[in-house]
Amino acid sequence: MIPFITSAPGKVIIFGEHSAVYNEPAVAASVSSLRTFLLVEDGAHRDTVALNFPDIKFHHEWRHSEIHQVIKLAEADGLLTKARKDTNNLSQPLVTLLEEKLLGSLKESLHFHAAFCFIYLYVCLCPNVNHVKFSLKSTLPIGAGLGSSASISVALSLAMAKLGGHIKSTESLTSADKKYINSWSFIGEKCIHGTPSGIDNAVATYGNAVLFKKEDNGSTNFQFIDNFPKIPMILTYTRIPRSTKVLVSNVRELVEKYPSIFKPILQSMGHLANDGADILRNLNDKNYNDLLELVRVNHGLLVSLGVSHPGLEIIKSLSDTMDLGSTKLTGAGGGGCSLTILKKDVTQDQIKTFKSILKEKHNYGTYDTDLGGMGCSFVSLDSIPEKDAIVIKAILEARESPREQLTKFLFSDESVLTWKF
Ligand SMILES: Nc1ncnc2c1ncn2[C@@H]1O[C@H](COP(=O)(O)OP(=O)(O)O)[C@@H](O)[C@H]1O
Ligand SMILES: C[C@@](O)(CCOP(=O)(O)O)CC(=O)O
Ligand SMILES: [Mg+2]
C-alpha cells in the first residue's frame, strides 16, 4: 500500500464561528485549492515512526518499541479499547500517558499540538505500523482561520485508517469511510484545540458547502448546500498569528461569566446562520443585499465576543470606506483571515486598489479562490511512473517548497496524480 498520499482541504466559515461550538448552526465551505498533503512511505530506519512536518520546522522520530511499551500499558487496563470506541471525547488517562511517555520533550506549542494529534490517532488507529515516515505539507496558512488544523487531522485520519485496515477501498471512499474519517478527525481537532464544534473537519472530509449543527448529545448534523453560488469575494490574510485554542477558551470565559448576555448573542448567530443558508441556497439580485447585511451583523456579534483584532478592523474599515461590500473575520479570529463579500457593482480597479493598499501599507496577502469542491482524497504513488513519483516525493519531503510548486505538481491540471475521493 505504501507509498501513498492523502489530502484534505481548508475551509471558510461564512456564518457562525464560535457559536458553532455552542451547538448553534453554522455555514462553511471548503477551499479546495488550499490543501494539506501527507506522504506516507517506508522510513529510513527500522523500529521508527518518523514525522517530517517542514511547515512548522518539526522533525521527530519515535522508536516503535517505545510506542509499543506505552500501548501495552494502555491496553493493560482497557484504556485503549475504551478510547478506540469513543470518537466524541478524548480519553484523559490516555492523554496523560501519551504526554508523560511520548510528548514530554515537546515544548513548542505548534510542535506539541501537531505531535499530540498524530500520536493519539496513531495509537488508536494503526499502532502496529512500523518503519514508516509521514511527511506533511500544506498550501494553507497555519493558524489563520482557514482550518489548517482540521485539514491535517483529516489527512492523518484517512492515512491511518488505511494503514490500520479500517478503510479498505482502493477506489473511491464510501460514505462509511468518510463517516469514519470525519469521526476520527474530530478527535484530532480535539487534540489541537480542545472543544471543536466539528464543522472544520466535516468540511475537510466531505468538501462542498454545509449547514452544520452539533447536537446536545455530541452527534453532528449537516446538510449540504447544493449549487453553492459563486460569490465575488476577497479573502485577506493579516499574517497576525493566533491560536484557535486560546480564542475559544477566552470566549468560554466570557460566556461563563455573563451567560445572560452572551447566550442570546450566540443564539442570534445561530439564527443568522440559518437565514444565511436560506439566502445562499437561492441567491439572487433581490436577496444579495440581505447576504451582505448578515455578514456585517455576524462580524459585529463576533466583535462583541472579543475575537476581532485591530489588524482585522483595518480590513473592515477600508472595505467600508471604499464601499466595497461586507467584511467579517473568518475562523477563530484574533488575527488570521477575513472574508469580504463584494457588492455586485464593484469594479476590478476598486479591487486592485483595495488589495494594493492592504499589501503595501500592512503587508497583508489575499487569496483568489473559489469556495466548495473536493473533500479528502488519496492517491497511490505506485499508480504513476517512477520518475514522477520521485519528483513528488522530493517536493513533499523538502524543507521548503513554494505553495505554487506543491499545487502545480499535486493538485492542478498539470499534475499526473488522479485523486480518489
Ligand atoms: N502544515 C502543518 N504542519 C504541521 N502542523 C500543522 C500544520 N497545519 C496546522 N498544523 C497544526 O494546527 C495548529 C493550528 O491550528 P489552529 O490554531 O486551529 O488554526 P487554523 O486551523 O485556523 O489554521 C498548529 O498549532 C499545528 O499544530
Ligand atoms: C472558532 C471555531 O468556530 C472555528 C475555528 O476555525 P479555525 O481553527 O480558526 O480555522 C471553532 C470550531 O468551530 O471548532
Ligand atoms: Mg483550526
Side-chain angles (χ1 to χ4, degrees):
M1 183 200 301
I2 281 179
F4 67 93
I5 307 173
T6 62
S7 173
K11 58 82 226 224
V12 169
I13 297 184
I14 300 158
F15 296 112
E17 45 278 272
H18 288 289
S19 41
V21 174
Y22 298 84
N23 302 357
E24 294 294 338
V27 177
S30 64
V31 188
S32 177
S33 58
L34 297 175
R35 307 182 72 86
T36 294
F37 299 98
L38 172 69
L39 166 68
V40 184
E41 61 187 326
D42 285 334
H45 312 288
R46 298 249 152 241
D47 188 34
T48 56
V49 175
L51 302 188
N52 174 35
F53 291 2
D55 293 342
I56 57 167
K57 299 188 172 52
F58 179 49
H59 309 277
H60 194 75
E61 227 173 62
W62 286 285
R63 297 191 76 78
H64 186 263
S65 43
E66 175 191 17
I67 301 178
H68 195 68
Q69 276 184 357
V70 175
I71 290 171
K72 270 169 98 186
L73 287 174
E75 271 170 347
D77 46 14
L79 194 73
L80 203 51
T81 315
K82 264 200 218 144
R84 283 185 183 132
K85 281 194 190 136
D86 189 354
T87 51
N88 278 338
N89 303 292
L90 291 181
S91 151
Q92 270 321 313
L94 180 59
V95 170
T96 307
L97 199 60
L98 295 174
E99 279 177 352
E100 269 173 20
K101 307 275 181 199
L102 298 172
L103 299 167
S105 64
L106 303 171
K107 304 288 176 233
E108 210 276 320
S109 162
L110 293 194
H111 296 181
F112 175 84
H113 287 101
F116 178 23
C117 171
F118 175 89
I119 200 72
Y120 195 102
L121 294 174
Y122 175 90
V123 298
C124 288
L125 300 185
C126 60
N128 298 320
V129 173
N130 189 356
H131 186 208
V132 61
K133 178 175 168 189
F134 296 82
S135 296
L136 182 131
K137 271 206 178 149
S138 189
T139 58
L140 279 157
I142 298 170
L146 301 186
S148 74
S149 59
S151 80
I152 78 160
S153 301
V154 171
L156 286 167
S157 302
L158 169 53
M160 293 187 196
K162 283 175 78 59
L163 291 166
H166 309 285
I167 286 183
K168 298 199 171 63
S169 324
T170 51
E171 293 307 317
S172 50
L173 296 166
T174 64
S175 57
D177 295 340
K178 288 188 186 163
K179 195 167 172 215
Y180 189 87
I181 296 161
N182 188 33
S183 328
W184 279 102
S185 56
F186 178 66
I187 286 289
E189 272 279 81
K190 282 213 151 193
C191 297
I192 295 174
H193 96 62
T195 54
S197 61
I199 189 169
D200 289 12
N201 53 282
V203 172
T205 303
Y206 291 93
N208 303 317
V210 297
L211 171 62
F212 173 96
K213 186 178 179 328
K214 188 163 139 211
E215 301 299 344
D216 293 342
N217 66 6
S219 67
T220 55
N221 201 331
F222 58 89
Q223 298 156 17
F224 290 109
I225 302 177
D226 294 327
N227 306 319
F228 193 76
K230 225 174 152 57
I231 314 168
M233 53 166 235
I234 301 172
L235 210 50
T236 306
Y237 178 29
T238 61
R239 300 183 212 279
I240 298 164
R242 87 300 172 281
S243 142
T244 299
K245 190 178 169 68
V246 171
L247 287 148
V248 168
S249 79
N250 291 348
V251 171
R252 186 165 303 276
E253 264 178 41
L254 272 182
V255 175
E256 281 169 5
K257 189 167 172 196
Y258 304 109
S260 58
I261 299 177
F262 284 102
K263 284 193 176 158
I265 293 179
L266 297 167
Q267 278 163 4
S268 173
M269 288 168 149
H271 292 305
L272 202 148
N274 272 332
D275 288 2
D278 284 344
I279 295 174
L280 288 166
R281 280 195 191 99
N282 180 27
L283 190 63
N284 54 45
D285 287 346
K286 280 202 198 125
N287 61 14
Y288 197 82
N289 281 341
D290 300 341
L291 176 71
L292 294 176
E293 191 158 58
L294 292 186
V295 169
R296 178 179 64 74
V297 175
N298 198 164
H299 182 73
L301 296 176
L302 287 161
V303 171
S304 76
L305 294 186
V307 295
S308 190
H309 184 281
L312 285 164
E313 294 306 316
I314 286 173
I315 309 167
K316 173 156 173 61
S317 158
L318 181 64
S319 86
D320 287 353
T321 309
M322 290 181 68
D323 196 23
L324 294 185
S326 285
T327 296
K328 71 180 271 290
L329 68 87
T330 187
C337 287
S338 74
L339 169 69
T340 302
I341 309 262
L342 298 168
K343 284 187 169 174
K344 287 245 163 136
D345 55 3
V346 167
T347 63
Q348 285 306 317
D349 278 352
Q350 285 174 292
I351 296 176
K352 219 168 135 191
T353 309
F354 179 69
K355 287 184 178 175
S356 75
I357 294 174
L358 292 173
K359 170 87 193 100
E360 268 132 49
K361 269 184 122 174
H362 306 288
N363 194 29
Y364 292 178
T366 47
Y367 292 101
D368 292 311
T369 172
D370 284 336
L371 297 185
M374 194 203 280
C376 66
S377 53
F378 66 94
V379 61
S380 161
L381 286 186
D382 287 339
S383 63
I384 61 168
E386 202 185 333
K387 66 171 187 4
D388 294 319
I390 291 172
V391 172
I392 285 172
K393 274 194 206 171
I395 291 173
L396 284 170
E397 285 173 336
R399 291 204 171 235
E400 282 187 28
S401 29
R403 171 179 295 128
E404 296 71 29
Q405 191 190 33
L406 272 169
T407 301
K408 179 175 167 211
F409 282 89
L410 286 130
F411 208 75
S412 73
D413 294 343
E414 286 178 55
S415 170
V416 294
L417 301 177
T418 308
W419 291 92
K420 312 247 167 101
F421 56 93

